[in-house]
Amino acid sequence: MIGKKTAPSPPHPRKQRIIEAAVTCFLEAGYHQTGVRDIAHRAGISLGNLYNHFSGKEAVLAEIARIEAQELEAFRTLLAAGPDPKATLTRFVEDYAEYAARPENAVLGLEILSEAIRAPQIATLFSGNRAGLVTGLEELLEKGARTGHFRAFEDPRETAGLILDAIEGRALRVLLKDAKGSAKTTLWRFIDAATQVKP
């Protein structure tokens, strides 16, 4: 999602400070337990100053979703640009696994997922971001199947979603210290075995 070093085009400095404060609050206390006063206090600004930039907590979350969309654009570009589907998938799995395993991304992603179950409007803010990755992966799998790099898939979109599930699930295991150092290699072998052409 977003940490101090991950936003590709940071907004106004004060707005950026509010976003970073919100992320910290969400990570420490959870989205549901965080109020706009908590965010303002963490950012070192008045409540009025916060409202100069955002109408409320959900507006801050919407900005985080927008920044996440910018971050994920690099992955969508990677999926669309590679001439060799298998090499592209290998690179995507490696890069996205590293991105997803960053503590701020893994924890915030889990927090947003749990909150989205209770509040569908939050799910709406982030669903387009993941859908874009699923579409990019789906198109890569279809291209690879046409060129003989991958087997044919009964449901390429579902397969793409399962690949993301595997990467993001491993990221949580890394966070919980439940994944060994070799887990990244094991992840790729699992995905490679699921996509390769059967002899």
Side-chain angles (χ1 to χ4, degrees):
M1 254 124 292
I2 157 179
K4 293 184 181 180
K5 297 180 182 177
T6 57
S9 56
H12 182 278
R14 181 166 290 169
K15 197 172 184 181
Q16 178 68 20
R17 195 176 353 150
I18 293 168
I19 294 165
E20 290 174 2
V23 168
T24 301
C25 289
F26 297 160
L27 292 175
E28 291 178 355
Y31 177 81
H32 189 67
Q33 297 299 323
T34 297
V36 286
R37 288 183 186 279
D38 300 315
I39 297 170
H41 177 74
R42 176 67 65 135
I45 62 172
S46 70
L47 199 55
N49 271 334
L50 185 147
Y51 282 122
N52 284 337
H53 295 281
F54 297 102
S55 60
K57 184 171 70 168
E58 192 170 312
V60 177
L61 195 62
E63 179 66 11
I64 291 170
R66 186 192 68 77
I67 293 171
E68 182 192 65
Q70 288 183 329
E71 293 175 358
L72 296 181
E73 186 59 36
F75 295 110
R76 289 190 289 268
T77 300
L78 169 64
L79 288 168
D84 179 336
K86 185 165 184 176
T88 299
L89 182 61
T90 305
R91 173 75 184 276
F92 172 79
V93 171
E94 182 177 322
D95 291 356
Y96 189 62
E98 181 180 325
Y99 172 84
R102 292 178 192 162
E104 68 274 19
N105 292 342
V107 174
L108 192 57
L110 186 59
E111 176 61 31
I112 288 168
L113 178 62
S114 62
E115 191 62 31
I117 293 170
R118 297 187 289 268
Q121 70 274 18
I122 290 175
T124 302
L125 291 175
F126 289 87
S127 61
N129 293 348
R130 193 173 199 276
L133 283 184
V134 171
T135 298
L137 264 174
E138 176 188 17
E139 291 171 354
L140 180 70
L141 294 175
E142 290 174 333
K143 176 182 177 183
R146 287 193 305 271
T147 59
H149 289 88
F150 303 138
R151 65 180 182 83
F153 300 96
E154 184 177 333
D155 188 339
R157 188 166 190 83
E158 180 66 14
T159 303
L162 289 171
I163 289 172
L164 285 184
D165 288 343
I167 296 171
E168 292 162 357
R170 175 198 169 269
L172 291 175
R173 290 182 54 227
V174 168
L175 187 68
L176 294 169
K177 310 266 191 284
D178 187 38
K180 298 177 183 175
S182 61
K184 198 171 180 180
T185 301
T186 305
L187 172 70
W188 166 246
R189 286 178 181 160
F190 174 77
I191 292 171
D192 185 38
T195 57
Q196 65 183 310
V197 179
K198 305 299 181 188

